[in-house]
Amino acid sequence: MRQRITLLAPFVLIPLAAIVFRQTAQRMGPAIGTLAGFLFYQLFGCILFPCAMLGGRNVLQLFQTRQPFFQRRNTMLVIMLALTVAGAIPLFLGYVRVQTAAVFLIGIPLTVFNGVCEELLWRGVFVRMFPKRYLLSVLYPALLFPCWHLAPQCIDPELTLRQALPLVAMAFPLGLVYGHVAYRTQSIRWISVAHGISGILAFGIPLSTSLAAVVGIR
């Protein structure tokens, strides 16, 4: 039963999150709508749901590693994660020209927290629920993870699907790499680190810009 719920959960979470993003943005503006949508997603989808499915102790165990990660046998896994971080460098070079240091700094805790939360849901739960079934623990969430990225974009009613697709397409290889590493190590420790660093390099957009707009930071 828990496996079935895990497989169906994204089809409930993604539309609900989209509704929260859209409704709060219409009532309180896009900045608060963005923060409210992510808070709903992180709290209910990425924290409470994994705890309900796995239990608090098992959730904490997802951050443990059975063997040291940085060893010769894991060379390819290390390279794969390094490439995901390197891929965020062009984003950093682009944002650093138009965003302030204050936006960058407030984005650090936000994006690290979001990265850890996402790995709990999209990799941790699936790897633990299907530890020996690669299709369900890696490929299945890797296909749905990009779909989640459509939800925050529901804030902009004029945004077309064609405009939203680039971000969705970028999320698929990232989810595939993170999932593969989690499957091989049965841990989300290092993919959470890589996800957090990538988010920092991307200035925590749109979380940091939304918070900056709410508190008046420029």
Side-chain angles (χ1 to χ4, degrees):
M1 179 61 70
R2 287 189 301 163
Q3 289 179 332
R4 293 177 181 176
I5 293 174
T6 298
L7 294 175
L8 292 174
F11 294 96
V12 177
L13 174 64
I14 294 172
L16 284 178
I19 292 172
V20 173
F21 277 110
R22 187 66 174 270
Q23 293 299 316
T24 53
Q26 289 179 346
R27 288 169 169 76
M28 293 176 281
I32 294 180
T34 296
L35 296 176
F38 272 99
L39 181 61
F40 169 83
Y41 165 63
Q42 293 162 349
L43 178 60
F44 291 98
C46 300
I47 298 177
L48 294 181
F49 177 74
C51 288
M53 291 295 100
L54 304 178
R57 180 176 298 179
N58 287 327
V59 165
L60 293 177
Q61 288 177 351
L62 287 169
F63 294 95
Q64 301 175 3
T65 55
R66 300 174 182 176
Q67 298 177 353
F69 182 63
F70 294 97
Q71 54 179 312
R72 181 172 297 180
R73 62 182 296 181
N74 291 335
T75 299
M76 185 55 64
L77 301 182
V78 173
I79 292 174
M80 292 169 67
L81 284 187
L83 288 175
T84 65
V85 174
I89 294 177
L91 295 176
F92 175 81
L93 296 177
Y95 285 130
V96 76
R97 298 172 183 174
V98 296
Q99 300 291 349
T100 65
V103 172
F104 176 76
L105 291 175
I106 66 173
I108 292 177
L110 293 175
T111 194
V112 169
F113 179 72
N114 185 67
V116 173
C117 287
E118 290 200 313
E119 295 314 313
L120 276 174
L121 171 62
W122 294 106
R123 261 62 67 175
V125 173
F126 285 90
V127 166
R128 188 53 56 93
M129 283 292 182
F130 309 101
K132 297 182 179 180
R133 302 174 67 178
Y134 193 88
L135 289 176
L136 293 180
S137 64
V138 178
L139 294 180
Y140 182 80
L143 288 171
L144 292 174
F145 180 56
C147 297
W148 139 251
H149 288 76
L150 290 172
Q153 301 186 64
C154 289
I155 285 178
D156 185 358
E158 298 182 358
L159 188 72
T160 65
L161 182 60
R162 180 177 296 181
Q163 293 172 316
L165 282 180
L167 178 60
V168 175
M170 289 173 57
F172 174 71
L174 290 176
L176 201 58
V177 169
Y178 292 153
H180 180 72
V181 174
Y183 180 82
R184 288 285 303 276
T185 62
Q186 292 295 300
S187 170
I188 64 170
R189 173 185 292 183
W190 294 107
I191 60 175
S192 297
V193 171
H195 195 152
I197 294 174
S198 297
I200 291 172
L201 291 175
F203 271 68
I205 305 293
L207 280 167
S208 60
T209 51
S210 297
L211 181 59
V214 170
V215 300
I217 294 178
R218 297 181 179 180

